[in-house]
Amino acid sequence: MELGEKLRQARLDAGLSQRQLCGEEITRNMLSLIEHGTAQPSMKTLQYLAARLGKNVSYFLEESAVLSPNQAAMDAARRNFDAGDWSEALEALKTYQKPDPVYDREQQLIWVCCHLELARKALEEGRRPYAQSLLERIPSLPCYCTRELERQRLLLLGQVSGEAVTQHLPSLDTELLLRARDALLQGLPDRAGKLLDAAEDQAHPQWYLLRGESYLQDSQYLPATQCFHKAEATFPRETAQKLEICYRELGDYKRAYEYACMQKK
């Protein structure tokens, strides 16, 4: 029997409604989700419910379930991390006992994030050697958000040492294209063009479509047509409208008419 089913049966055996069992600690909706197995209670919530039902917490857990000895350490680490006290969060993790299948990955994530935040703070305060020592304590990142955390670590290392780390960094092209699109929506073609010119891959149809739009908004119709033609096979409908405008402005009314007809098909 699952935890939620055990909880519901124990409530019914005790003759309690969901509202009566909830008291003032949790909502009836949350209790309903727990009983139906769509939400898992925290240990604090489970202890509260078990006490109201006159049961031990172990009654609701599967026989194979093991309570983590690291509950207190993780609670303290989370609390200090949320408060921006990263040194205290690391201090709390010193009592952490491995292995722990419940918390190991979260512990690694908090540990890495604390080192990154402390290194960032040390850099702001001009303590470069300390910042470097913090960053070098992170040999690998076997936790959540690995690529993004590694990117942050490398950027901070670059600030500390002044050495180029770009060969290790992931491409920024996706972000650059998104920012360029946003700039175009705001009517800022010059900004969009600069963002696009910073991209590594300038042969992608999406890049040509956006670069063409930046030229078009800047009334540079000839380079706009060249870009739109290179994006035409991938984005036929979007480029047809743009090319009609470009050719009309360039005085090539025959080509403008051709692209106007394409839009009606």
Side-chain angles (χ1 to χ4, degrees), residues 15-136:
L16 296 176
S17 67
Q18 288 185 334
R19 192 177 302 280
Q20 289 171 323
L21 178 57
C22 289
E24 298 180 357
E25 293 294 320
I26 65 171
T27 65
R28 182 174 172 276
N29 182 58
M30 175 55 69
L31 177 59
S32 179
L33 291 173
I34 293 171
E35 288 189 350
H36 285 86
T38 55
Q40 288 295 318
S42 66
M43 187 54 62
K44 181 180 178 181
T45 298
L46 187 56
Q47 288 170 340
Y48 168 79
L49 294 173
R52 289 180 68 84
L53 291 167
K55 302 282 188 182
N56 292 321
V57 171
S58 58
Y59 173 82
F60 298 101
L61 299 174
E62 296 178 8
E63 292 181 3
S64 59
V66 178
L67 296 178
S68 171
N70 294 306
Q71 178 82 43
M74 290 302 298
D75 285 345
R78 292 184 192 123
R79 184 169 59 253
N80 284 295
F81 185 86
D82 290 342
D85 196 340
W86 304 297
S87 294
E88 284 300 314
L90 288 175
E91 191 66 29
L93 291 179
K94 286 183 178 179
T95 62
Y96 188 89
Q97 302 173 39
K98 289 187 176 182
D100 184 339
V102 178
Y103 289 121
D104 274 355
R105 295 185 71 192
E106 184 183 359
Q107 182 268 340
Q108 290 170 342
L109 177 62
I110 293 177
W111 188 89
V112 169
C113 288
C114 284
H115 278 72
L116 290 173
E117 293 296 342
L118 287 170
R120 189 174 286 110
K121 182 180 179 182
L123 270 173
E124 292 172 355
E125 296 172 349
R127 297 182 294 153
R128 291 178 177 271
Y130 178 55
Q132 184 163 357
S133 70
L134 286 167
L135 295 169
E136 289 176 349

